[in-house]
Amino acid sequence: VRYSTDVADIFLLGDVPGSISMNLNWSHIQELSTQATLSASVNPGAGESGKSKNQWNLTTRYANEGFAMSWTVRYKQGGVFDNLNGPKTTNFLTFGSWTNHNTTLSYQINENISARAVVNNVFNQKSPYGNIGVGVYDQLGRAYRIGLTANF
């Protein structure tokens, strides 16, 4: 879902220049089954680590002339490490939901050059289960980046 409007069209902000856009991406896994080989048992994967049943990203962006600021909220629903483990084995191996915030400031200096500053994981949110889940959850904590892009 994507929505965009001029800031002047928002109630009580009539004289503020620029535009605001919002973009929401949501995914839901109803069922996910994998099988390593033809003779292996079927693994019901929905809700396991890296396969959250529900996850979404919401990005809000303000832009005016060459300046832009965006704020992204990322959410992953909690789950279990392995759906094949039942209540009599290791179902205590669960993890909670995770929410992360990122922001970017950018400026188009001229037609060919732009600059940006990024803060990922603004609130230094820890992974729901330590260092497990590399590539799924942010393991570094808060990170700062600056960049310059030149097009020729």
Side-chain angles (χ1 to χ4, degrees), residues 11-151:
F11 182 67
L12 298 177
L13 296 177
D15 293 336
V16 178
S19 64
I20 292 179
S21 64
M22 296 180 85
N23 189 24
L24 174 65
N25 292 308
W26 171 66
S27 67
H28 172 76
I29 299 175
Q30 184 68 36
E31 183 178 330
L32 174 66
S33 297
T34 58
Q35 190 172 12
T37 65
L38 291 175
S39 60
S41 61
V42 174
N43 180 14
E48 289 184 342
S49 174
K51 304 171 201 110
S52 297
K53 286 188 177 181
N54 289 290
Q55 58 185 344
W56 53 262
N57 295 338
L58 173 65
T59 300
T60 303
R61 183 175 190 266
Y62 169 78
N64 182 30
E65 296 183 10
F67 170 79
M69 178 191 176
S70 66
W71 189 276
T72 300
V73 180
R74 297 171 43 207
Y75 169 82
K76 291 181 184 281
Q77 182 179 1
V80 298
F81 285 102
D82 189 345
N83 283 327
L84 295 177
N85 292 328
K88 295 182 181 178
T89 57
T90 56
N91 75 336
F92 63 91
L93 294 175
T94 62
F95 54 92
S97 298
W98 182 75
T99 305
N100 179 315
H101 298 259
N102 303 320
T103 190
T104 302
L105 296 173
S106 62
Y107 184 71
Q108 188 71 39
I109 297 167
N110 61 37
E111 185 177 316
N112 298 320
I113 300 174
S114 64
R116 69 193 161 286
V118 178
V119 180
N120 285 331
N121 199 352
V122 172
F123 301 115
N124 202 26
Q125 180 68 34
K126 302 294 184 221
S127 165
Y129 48 88
N131 291 328
I132 301 170
V134 174
V136 177
Y137 297 97
D138 181 356
Q139 301 299 316
L140 297 176
R142 184 180 305 118
Y144 304 90
R145 294 179 175 87
I146 58 172
L148 191 65
T149 301
N151 295 316

